[in-house]
Coordinates of all heavy atoms in Angstrom, one line a residue:
D31 N 0.9 16.7 7.5 CA 0.8 17.9 6.7 C -0.4 18.7 7.2 O -1.5 18.3 7.2 CB 0.5 17.5 5.2 CG 1.7 17.0 4.5 OD1 2.8 17.2 5.0 OD2 1.5 16.3 3.4
P32 N -0.1 20.0 7.6 CA -1.2 20.9 8.0 C -2.0 21.4 6.8 O -1.4 21.8 5.8 CB -0.5 22.0 8.8 CG 0.9 22.0 8.2 CD 1.2 20.6 7.8
L33 N -3.3 21.5 6.9 CA -4.1 22.2 6.0 C -4.7 23.4 6.7 O -5.6 23.2 7.5 CB -5.3 21.2 5.5 CG -4.9 19.9 4.9 CD1 -6.1 19.0 4.8 CD2 -4.1 20.0 3.6
V34 N -4.2 24.5 6.4 CA -4.5 25.7 7.2 C -5.6 26.5 6.4 O -5.5 26.8 5.3 CB -3.3 26.6 7.4 CG1 -3.7 27.9 8.2 CG2 -2.2 25.8 8.2
A35 N -6.7 26.8 7.2 CA -7.8 27.6 6.6 C -8.0 28.8 7.6 O -8.1 28.7 8.8 CB -9.0 26.8 6.5
A36 N -8.1 30.0 7.0 CA -8.3 31.2 7.8 C -9.7 31.6 8.0 O -10.0 32.5 8.8 CB -7.6 32.4 7.1
N37 N -10.6 30.9 7.3 CA -12.0 31.1 7.5 C -12.8 29.9 7.1 O -12.2 28.9 6.5 CB -12.5 32.3 6.6 CG -12.2 32.2 5.1 OD1 -12.7 31.2 4.5 ND2 -11.4 33.1 4.6
P38 N -14.1 29.8 7.4 CA -14.8 28.6 7.2 C -15.0 28.2 5.7 O -15.0 27.0 5.3 CB -16.2 28.9 7.8 CG -15.9 29.8 8.9 CD -14.8 30.7 8.4
R39 N -15.0 29.2 4.8 CA -15.1 28.9 3.4 C -13.9 28.1 2.9 O -14.0 27.1 2.1 CB -15.3 30.2 2.6 CG -15.5 29.9 1.0 CD -15.7 31.1 0.3 NE -14.5 32.0 0.3 CZ -14.4 33.2 -0.3 NH1 -15.5 33.7 -0.9 NH2 -13.3 33.9 -0.3
Q40 N -12.7 28.6 3.3 CA -11.5 27.9 3.0 C -11.5 26.5 3.5 O -11.0 25.5 2.8 CB -10.3 28.7 3.5 CG -10.0 30.0 2.7 CD -8.8 30.7 3.3 OE1 -8.1 30.2 4.1 NE2 -8.6 32.0 2.8
A41 N -11.9 26.3 4.8 CA -12.0 25.0 5.4 C -12.9 24.0 4.6 O -12.5 22.9 4.3 CB -12.4 25.1 6.8
L42 N -14.0 24.5 4.2 CA -15.0 23.7 3.4 C -14.4 23.3 2.1 O -14.6 22.2 1.6 CB -16.3 24.4 3.3 CG -17.1 24.5 4.6 CD1 -18.3 25.6 4.4 CD2 -17.7 23.2 5.0
S43 N -13.7 24.3 1.4 CA -13.0 24.0 0.2 C -12.0 22.9 0.3 O -11.9 22.0 -0.5 CB -12.4 25.3 -0.4 OG -11.7 25.0 -1.6
L44 N -11.2 23.0 1.4 CA -10.2 21.9 1.6 C -10.8 20.6 1.8 O -10.3 19.5 1.4 CB -9.3 22.3 2.8 CG -8.3 23.5 2.6 CD1 -7.7 23.9 3.9 CD2 -7.2 23.0 1.7
L45 N -11.9 20.5 2.5 CA -12.6 19.3 2.8 C -13.2 18.6 1.6 O -13.5 17.4 1.7 CB -13.6 19.5 3.9 CG -13.1 19.8 5.3 CD1 -14.2 20.2 6.3 CD2 -12.2 18.6 5.9
R46 N -13.3 19.3 0.5 CA -13.8 18.7 -0.7 C -12.8 17.7 -1.3 O -13.2 16.7 -1.9 CB -14.2 19.8 -1.7 CG -15.3 20.6 -1.4 CD -15.8 21.4 -2.6 NE -16.7 22.5 -2.3 CZ -16.4 23.7 -2.2 NH1 -15.2 24.1 -2.4 NH2 -17.4 24.6 -1.8
Y47 N -11.5 18.0 -1.0 CA -10.5 17.2 -1.7 C -9.5 16.5 -0.8 O -8.7 15.7 -1.2 CB -9.7 18.2 -2.6 CG -10.5 18.9 -3.6 CD1 -10.8 20.3 -3.4 CD2 -11.1 18.3 -4.7 CE1 -11.6 21.0 -4.3 CE2 -11.9 19.0 -5.6 CZ -12.1 20.4 -5.4 OH -12.9 21.1 -6.2
H48 N -9.6 16.8 0.5 CA -8.7 16.2 1.5 C -9.5 15.4 2.5 O -10.7 15.7 2.8 CB -7.9 17.2 2.1 CG -7.0 18.0 1.2 ND1 -5.7 17.6 0.9 CD2 -7.2 19.1 0.5 CE1 -5.2 18.4 0.0 NE2 -6.1 19.4 -0.3
H49 N -8.8 14.5 3.2 CA -9.4 13.6 4.2 C -8.5 13.6 5.4 O -7.7 12.7 5.7 CB -9.6 12.2 3.7 CG -10.5 12.1 2.5 ND1 -11.9 12.1 2.7 CD2 -10.3 12.1 1.2 CE1 -12.5 12.1 1.5 NE2 -11.5 12.1 0.6
P50 N -8.6 14.7 6.2 CA -7.7 14.8 7.4 C -8.0 13.7 8.5 O -9.2 13.3 8.6 CB -7.9 16.2 7.9 CG -9.3 16.5 7.5 CD -9.5 15.8 6.1
V51 N -7.0 13.3 9.2 CA -7.2 12.4 10.4 C -7.6 13.2 11.6 O -8.2 12.7 12.5 CB -6.0 11.6 10.7 CG1 -5.6 10.7 9.5 CG2 -4.8 12.5 11.0
L52 N -7.3 14.5 11.6 CA -7.6 15.4 12.8 C -8.0 16.7 12.3 O -7.4 17.2 11.3 CB -6.4 15.5 13.7 CG -6.5 16.4 14.9 CD1 -7.5 15.9 15.9 CD2 -5.1 16.5 15.6
A53 N -9.0 17.3 12.9 CA -9.4 18.7 12.6 C -9.4 19.5 13.8 O -10.0 19.2 14.8 CB -10.8 18.7 11.9
L54 N -8.7 20.7 13.8 CA -8.6 21.6 14.9 C -9.4 22.8 14.5 O -9.1 23.5 13.5 CB -7.1 22.0 15.1 CG -6.1 20.9 15.3 CD1 -4.7 21.4 15.4 CD2 -6.5 20.0 16.5
V55 N -10.5 23.0 15.2 CA -11.5 24.0 14.8 C -11.6 25.1 15.9 O -12.1 24.9 17.0 CB -12.9 23.4 14.5 CG1 -13.9 24.4 14.2 CG2 -12.7 22.3 13.5
D56 N -11.2 26.3 15.5 CA -11.4 27.5 16.4 C -12.8 28.0 16.3 O -13.2 28.3 15.2 CB -10.4 28.6 16.0 CG -10.5 29.8 16.9 OD1 -11.2 29.8 17.9 OD2 -9.9 30.8 16.5
L57 N -13.5 28.0 17.4 CA -14.9 28.4 17.3 C -15.0 30.0 17.3 O -16.1 30.5 16.9 CB -15.7 27.9 18.5 CG -15.9 26.4 18.6 CD1 -16.6 26.0 19.9 CD2 -16.5 25.8 17.4

Side-chain angles (χ1 to χ4, degrees):
D31 286 342
L33 306 170
V34 179
N37 58 61
R39 184 180 66 183
Q40 291 180 5
L42 290 166
S43 179
L44 287 168
L45 289 173
R46 291 193 191 102
Y47 306 104
H48 297 269
H49 298 276
V51 296
L52 175 64
L54 308 173
V55 179
D56 178 12
L57 296 180

